[in-house]
Amino acid sequence: MKLNLEQIPRETTLSKREFIQNYFKPQKPVVIERFIEDWPAHSKWSLDYMKQVAGEKEVPLYDDRPVKHDEGFNQPHAKMKMSEYVDLLKSGPTKYRIFLWNILKEVPELQKDFTYPDFGLKLMKGLPMLFFGGEDSYTFMHYDIDLANIFHFHFEGKKQCILYPQSETKFLYKVPHSLITREDIDFDNPDFEKWPALEHAKGHIANLEHGNVLYIPEGYWHYMKYVTPGFSMSLRSIAKKPKNLSRAVYNIFVMRHFDNLMRKWKGQGWIDWKNEQAVVRTQRLIVQK
């Protein structure tokens, strides 16, 4: 049995009006296939190009190990030079990923290769973030702390993306006081006997290739898997719905700090309790359903 996923609509290109009316207002995801062909980045950006312009930069790396109580928020698992990392990606499968790498801060000249598109939303121009991954590497199912509208521009290789709206959270085994689901759920090949609630979750799926843009609506859960080595850039616009904006403020200024405090106080017991509660609370909702 597979997850209940429908293909995300694909458009060759979209006008601002079409995007706002058909996707932003109803908060529906979409893949735009040929929106950035006038960017220099479209023809220039590749793993080899990144090695050329940022090879000496030390980059933070993350893998798929479970969260530990003594690790800080977004604390990297390793570091290496970008040139070494690109070589690693090309040598074969690796779990190491680059996560939230600010290109304006690290390699300002890359800003010349793209422009901020006019989707009808005000984009946060100080936060263009790059994400890299090797073959079969993936992110845990999660949603972003600020519940932003995200435009995910993919470069080189192929990437598979699974999305769920917040309405499906009750079926996803969300870990309390965090932004992730249970880390031991395999969204590529889910075990429905172990995770029966997943059968009820209705989501979306898309495969991205070079030059594709994925719009991820406010607060959507997302799981990203690199089918082949590659990288993406995300631009974001703050949540517009008052409920999502207030949740973003809570996540940033309350939830994150409370969780860090409890990790220090309770240690690994706090992490274990949260994982147990993810199952208990989800099963309780399923029984009520």
Side-chain angles (χ1 to χ4, degrees):
M1 185 178 294
K2 296 183 178 180
L3 294 168
N4 186 0
L5 304 173
E6 64 177 22
Q7 288 290 327
I8 294 174
R10 305 182 76 91
E11 304 273 6
T12 301
T13 188
L14 279 176
S15 68
K16 176 169 63 175
R17 180 178 176 277
E18 289 170 333
F19 169 73
I20 292 294
Q21 291 296 325
N22 297 336
Y23 297 103
F24 171 69
K25 284 186 176 179
Q27 287 288 281
K28 294 181 178 180
V30 63
V31 174
I32 314 173
E33 296 180 332
R34 302 183 63 180
F35 190 80
I36 62 169
E37 291 184 353
D38 60 337
W39 285 9
H42 186 267
S43 58
K44 292 169 63 176
W45 283 17
S46 65
L47 290 173
D48 287 335
Y49 184 69
M50 291 297 165
K51 180 178 178 179
Q52 175 186 328
V53 298
E56 293 304 307
K57 294 287 184 180
E58 187 177 69
V59 294
L61 302 176
Y62 302 81
D63 58 26
D64 57 0
R65 71 188 68 179
V67 171
K68 296 173 61 179
H69 75 279
D70 55 355
E71 292 179 344
F73 186 77
N74 285 343
Q75 180 179 327
H77 300 133
K79 293 182 180 181
M80 67 175 62
K81 287 185 177 181
M82 175 62 88
S83 60
E84 297 171 339
Y85 179 60
V86 171
D87 290 342
L88 178 65
L89 292 182
K90 292 192 165 190
S91 68
T94 175
K95 296 296 185 182
Y96 279 129
R97 296 175 291 106
I98 296 178
F99 174 70
L100 292 174
W101 198 60
N102 190 322
I103 63 173
L104 286 183
K105 178 181 177 182
E106 300 294 342
V107 191
E109 58 263 39
L110 289 175
Q111 169 66 68
K112 301 174 184 177
D113 293 339
F114 69 92
T115 55
Y116 292 91
D118 184 6
F119 287 108
L121 304 178
K122 186 176 181 179
L123 299 173
M124 291 186 271
K125 294 187 176 181
L127 294 174
M129 297 293 186
L130 286 181
F131 304 78
F132 292 71
E135 180 182 344
D136 290 336
S137 65
Y138 61 89
T139 65
F140 295 121
M141 182 67 75
H142 70 287
Y143 65 93
D144 287 10
I145 194 169
D146 58 356
L147 286 87
N149 294 277
I150 302 168
F151 298 92
H152 198 68
F153 304 80
H154 189 61
F155 298 92
E156 189 158 332
K158 297 180 180 180
K159 177 186 274 189
Q160 183 184 80
C161 308
I162 296 175
L163 309 182
Y164 288 101
Q166 283 288 322
S167 61
E168 304 304 290
T169 298
K170 56 185 175 290
F171 304 124
L172 298 179
Y173 298 91
K174 179 187 182 299
V175 177
H177 308 292
S178 71
L179 310 169
I180 61 174
T181 64
R182 283 280 302 232
E183 296 160 303
D184 46 351
I185 296 176
D186 181 356
F187 280 89
D188 278 328
N189 186 29
D191 182 345
F192 290 110
E193 290 189 7
K194 188 174 183 181
W195 314 111
L198 290 179
E199 293 186 54
H200 303 286
K202 296 180 180 180
H204 311 268
I205 188 169
N207 292 303
L208 302 183
E209 297 185 353
H210 180 89
N212 290 174
V213 184
L214 171 64
Y215 167 60
I216 305 176
E218 296 179 13
Y220 263 52
W221 291 91
H222 43 284
Y223 165 89
M224 307 289 200
K225 179 181 178 180
Y226 293 85
V227 180
T228 63
F231 65 101
S232 308
M233 179 179 73
S234 282
L235 301 177
R236 58 206 305 113
S237 176
I238 63 171
K240 303 300 187 291
K241 291 187 175 182
K243 180 180 179 181
N244 290 338
L245 189 57
S246 64
R247 288 181 62 196
V249 171
Y250 171 80
N251 288 342
I252 294 169
F253 295 104
V254 180
M255 184 273 290
R256 179 171 61 179
H257 298 290
F258 173 74
D259 186 56
N260 285 336
L261 177 64
M262 293 300 289
R263 289 188 194 197
K264 293 178 181 178
W265 182 28
K266 296 290 189 178
Q268 189 60 36
W270 171 246
I271 303 295
D272 295 341
W273 178 84
K274 291 200 301 177
N275 281 323
E276 292 169 2
Q277 286 299 304
V279 177
V280 170
R281 296 181 185 190
T282 300
Q283 291 302 113
R284 184 185 302 146
L285 288 171
I286 294 301
V287 171
Q288 294 173 353
K289 181 178 183 297

